[in-house]
């Protein structure tokens, strides 16, 4: 046999199968209550609206929907996005909007345009795993910024963020921690970042999914020329369409656009037109509240179950915040409990979760885990949390 | 005003707006016959079949079509692709098939997995511009392999290709040159590449669009473990769906898959299911011949017009091959004619084309241009070529 002719790029040594993906395989056993997922509930997909929109698009504009199109995206959808983010206080022109194949692609394009091998990139602690996966192939040096319950500490930003290519931050109901950054902290982060010349990449997949109070205005509204803002239709419509967007300062946009063109020419025309057809007349104003209502009940059920079954004081106390929105609770277990070691015991007892360690770019807190409440009915949430508590009992 | 906080990655200096894209803007004026396009004719899109398939998918599997899905792709579509490439002599398992967001993404993933900064990458001369755009962000040193009318010269491959990460080759009706590599040359290329340990990336977007005789078996069938094979649904169904695939040796697949996951998580579920629904019962066997018939007539019209209006002998002779398939004629003008300088004169006379220079990774032949025959009716092709001949007359 001849030796292999293939030589892989050095970057592939840092690329690994998603830990979560591997865990999900282990936990997709029958009878297991999975609180491990990161998927929205398919009960929230507006199937009828999608069907009607698709029918109209393929009836009225089949050739355009099936033909190659501009890399920037479908112009009316870009206009819609500009108006949408404008309504959140981020005044932009449609020319600053780039439609992407899911917001995961937005993260990849940001990496392609901004990261050199060895560039420092500042991230929250913990941070979104998909962003780490998107940035890693560009071989950055990741810098974990110290965070408290309200996100990155402005002083840590000033100390650690200087010279980094950007700070990646997910201010609303973060995946995995569920935490949100309040208005005052956002202002402090923007001021501190501006002081040290650290641009911000602000990711907002969950902002519409608030259950108690609407989130503060995006950081992008505070420092427009220093912020790239990413949004997505995955959580308010459906993720399988792979539709997201990037709003970028004029100075960065041309390179993001060229990176987009090199990556997949453009996001599928049909999908862009379908989604525009669904959203253009205000559909989300009626639809999103129905998602909020459903998820809020599930969040409340998880909070009640956690409070009922997990110790909140004493030497075995667990700690969590009630997330104001999004999809996740983040649990801190007693210091001596390794969530990864806990997982098989939990699965034995009928519940699965995602250990927290993979979400840390720096030193991992191994005693953390993520629980999703959106795909499981309240009654099953209660049973799942009880099983988790039972597994935790065995670690005493 | 504070200084800009943004610092772009070094790779962005090599990334440029697509020359063709810029040219297309100039030539989209009313009244211009555009032979510049690279788009398939929308008359070939099977709109009815797409509508019916979409209706079935959104009726029978709406939740799956709208939900997140595996990065590898929709399993039945992967099976279909494995059978399809198997019928061409490339025996593979569905596990070796990765569904991509157009074959442009396949090229990007190949770059991400295989190219380090400064890696040598061997390409044909001329070569597909989209591939150059996909590879360039990974900062390769491109090596243009000498070619004749039948593609890369095996001796040049052995001399120049050694140590390169791969040879990128488009053997059927190449974009831009229209040329095809015959069976004997394919065998010689495979043998030569294997000798020097040079893997091959074989791109086949046009193989089904043959007008005279079916192309030879893919190079991948001659050196399975040394070849990555890329295919696309863009030319046989519709490009706006952005659906392609990569067939890769087991040793490379895991890294392509991780690169895919980092890039956009997965190709839209709906699009994959739609296309599978369209193709699963043999639709392409009936549909593709209708495309061939249409494009063959247009190719013949262009050949007739070129033969009628352009000098083929003497000092002002032009040179071209009749492409056996695909979408393009490639014209070599007299040595002293710069096609880029010719373009405005042609546009003045009512016809547009794409100058050939951007398709060369090495020294560009400036006296070349590309003509597409697929979106223009035979009568307009005749007028367009006449206008081109008139513009050429002014260069005497």
């Amino acid at each position: 046999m001849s030796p292999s002719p293939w030589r892989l790029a050095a970057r592939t040594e840092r690329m690994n199968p998603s830990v979560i993906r591997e865990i999900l395989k282990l936990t997709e056993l029958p009878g297991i209550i999975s609180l491990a997922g990161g998927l929205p509930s398919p009960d929230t997909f507006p199937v009828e609206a999608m069907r009607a929109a698709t029918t109209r698009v393929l009836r009225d504009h089949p050739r355009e929907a099936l033909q190659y199109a501009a890399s920037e995206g479908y112009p009316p959808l870009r206009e819609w996005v500009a108006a949408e983010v404008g309504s959140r206080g981020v005044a932009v022109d449609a020319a600053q909007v780039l439609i992407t194949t899911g917001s995961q692609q937005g993260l990849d394009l940001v990496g392609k345009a901004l990261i050199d091998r060895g560039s420092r990139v500042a991230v929250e602690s913990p941070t979104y795993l998909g962003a780490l996966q998107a940035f890693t192939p560009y071989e950055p040096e990741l810098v974990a910024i110290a965070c408290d319950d309200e996100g990155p500490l402005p002083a840590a930003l000033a100390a650690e963020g200087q010279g980094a290519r950007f700070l990646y931050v997910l201010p609303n109901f973060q995946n995995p921690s569920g935490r949100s950054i309040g208005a005052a902290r956002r202002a402090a982060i923007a001021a501190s970042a501006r002081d040290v010349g650290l641009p911000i990449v602000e990711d907002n997949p969950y902002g519409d999914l608030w259950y108690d109070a609407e989130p503060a205005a995006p950081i992008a509204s505070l420092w427009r020329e220093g912020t790239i803002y990413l949004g997505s239709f995955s959580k308010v419509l459906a993720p399988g369409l792979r539709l997201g967007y990037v709003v970028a300062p004029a100075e960065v946009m041309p390179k993001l656009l060229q990176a987009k063109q090199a990556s997949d020419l453009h996001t599928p025309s049909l999908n862009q037109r379908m989604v525009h057809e669904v959203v253009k007349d205000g559909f989300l104003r009626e639809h999103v509240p129905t998602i909020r209502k459903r998820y809020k009940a599930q969040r409340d059920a998880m909070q009640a179950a956690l409070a009922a079954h997990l110790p909140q004081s004493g030497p075995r106390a667990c700690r969590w915040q009630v997330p104001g929105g999004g999809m996740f609770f983040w649990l801190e277990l007693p210091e001596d409990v390794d969530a990864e070691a806990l997982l098989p015991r939990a699965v034995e007892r009928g519940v699965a979760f995602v250990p927290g360690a993979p979400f840390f770019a720096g030193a991992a807190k191994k005693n953390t885990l993520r629980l999703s409440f959106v795909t499981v009915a309240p009654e099953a949430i209660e049973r799942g949390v009880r099983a988790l508590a039972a597994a935790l009992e065995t670690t005493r």
Side-chain angles (χ1 to χ4, degrees), chain A:
Chain A
M1 219 180 115
S2 49
S4 165
W6 298 101
R7 225 181 107 205
L8 297 172
R11 70 175 63 81
T12 61
E13 284 167 37
R14 303 202 200 182
M15 290 157 53
N16 288 300
S18 161
V19 191
I20 289 185
R21 196 182 144 105
E22 299 306 304
I23 288 168
L24 289 179
K25 280 185 194 162
L26 288 174
T27 58
E28 273 167 1
L29 304 167
I32 300 287
I33 296 171
S34 180
L35 306 176
L39 282 58
S41 168
D43 293 337
T44 66
F45 301 163
V47 173
E48 278 314 319
M50 290 282 181
R51 271 191 201 128
T54 310
T55 301
R56 284 197 297 275
V57 168
L58 285 178
R59 183 191 65 204
D60 300 339
H61 300 285
R63 290 166 161 239
E64 296 82 358
L66 296 172
Q67 185 58 290
Y68 283 120
S71 301
E72 290 90 340
Y74 177 50
L77 185 61
R78 297 172 76 204
E79 295 283 352
W80 185 91
V81 169
E84 170 69 15
V85 302
S87 75
R88 291 162 200 239
V90 186
V92 293
D93 188 85
Q96 287 169 259
V97 176
L98 177 64
I99 304 294
T100 57
T101 309
S103 70
Q104 181 71 27
Q105 186 182 53
L107 296 168
D108 177 53
L109 300 179
V110 162
K112 215 175 221 180
L114 295 176
I115 303 176
D116 282 308
R117 183 174 201 168
S119 298
R120 301 177 79 222
V121 168
V123 298
E124 294 177 270
S125 190
T127 188
Y128 173 52
L129 189 59
L132 295 180
Q133 290 179 315
F135 300 153
T136 295
Y138 302 103
E139 304 173 272
E141 183 195 324
L142 295 166
V143 181
I145 302 294
C147 293
D148 64 10
D149 286 350
E150 235 200 321
L153 295 163
L157 249 196
E160 303 287 328
Q162 200 151 21
R165 289 294 166 93
F166 58 85
L167 164 71
Y168 170 72
V169 62
L170 204 165
N172 295 324
F173 324 122
Q174 196 218 35
N175 179 358
S177 71
R179 79 183 161 215
S180 287
I181 306 177
R185 176 68 65 89
R186 291 180 194 219
I189 289 171
S192 177
R194 191 199 293 253
D195 273 355
V196 297
L198 174 68
I200 291 173
V201 174
E202 178 177 26
D203 194 3
N204 187 21
Y206 308 109
D208 286 317
L209 304 182
W210 52 267
Y211 313 133
D212 302 320
E214 202 165 344
I219 297 176
S221 71
L222 305 172
W223 189 24
R224 188 62 212 92
E225 73 279 15
T227 309
I228 291 174
Y229 177 89
L230 287 86
S232 170
F233 292 97
S234 289
K235 308 303 183 295
V236 294
L237 278 181
L241 300 168
R242 307 307 303 122
L243 210 58
Y245 51 86
V246 176
V247 178
E251 130 186 49
V252 190
M253 181 53 85
K255 291 301 173 187
L256 290 174
L257 176 60
Q258 289 158 27
K260 165 73 180 166
Q261 199 173 8
S263 295
D264 67 358
L265 295 184
H266 63 86
T267 294
S269 323
L270 175 68
N271 305 235
Q272 295 188 64
R273 285 172 180 265
M274 277 173 66
V275 164
H276 180 253
E277 188 65 27
V278 170
V279 301
K280 69 186 165 82
D281 296 322
F283 173 81
L284 292 179
R285 282 198 296 275
E286 319 249 294
H287 179 62
V288 173
T290 67
I291 307 178
R292 276 186 211 129
K293 190 177 167 210
R294 162 187 292 267
Y295 287 174
K296 180 182 197 300
Q298 286 163 271
R299 181 207 56 180
D300 292 346
M302 187 168 275
Q303 162 59 12
L306 289 169
H309 300 296
L310 291 183
Q312 288 182 268
S313 60
R316 306 305 292 164
C318 296
R319 189 175 168 274
W320 67 91
Q321 280 186 288
V322 180
M327 298 166 49
F328 307 108
F329 276 77
W330 179 250
L331 221 57
E332 287 194 35
L333 309 173
E335 292 258 337
D336 61 348
V337 181
D338 181 334
E340 213 163 317
L342 181 66
L343 181 60
R345 304 193 198 186
V347 170
E348 270 172 35
R349 283 163 185 78
V351 68
F353 58 80
V354 175
F359 296 95
F360 291 87
K365 284 192 181 171
K366 298 190 165 207
N367 63 324
T368 56
L369 59 85
R370 190 191 77 178
L371 300 173
S372 163
F373 53 83
V374 301
T375 48
V376 182
E379 168 276 328
I381 288 175
E382 154 71 21
R383 275 191 294 132
V385 169
R386 214 161 49 204
L388 173 64
L392 203 55
E393 268 295 303
T394 68
T395 65
R396 295 182 73 103

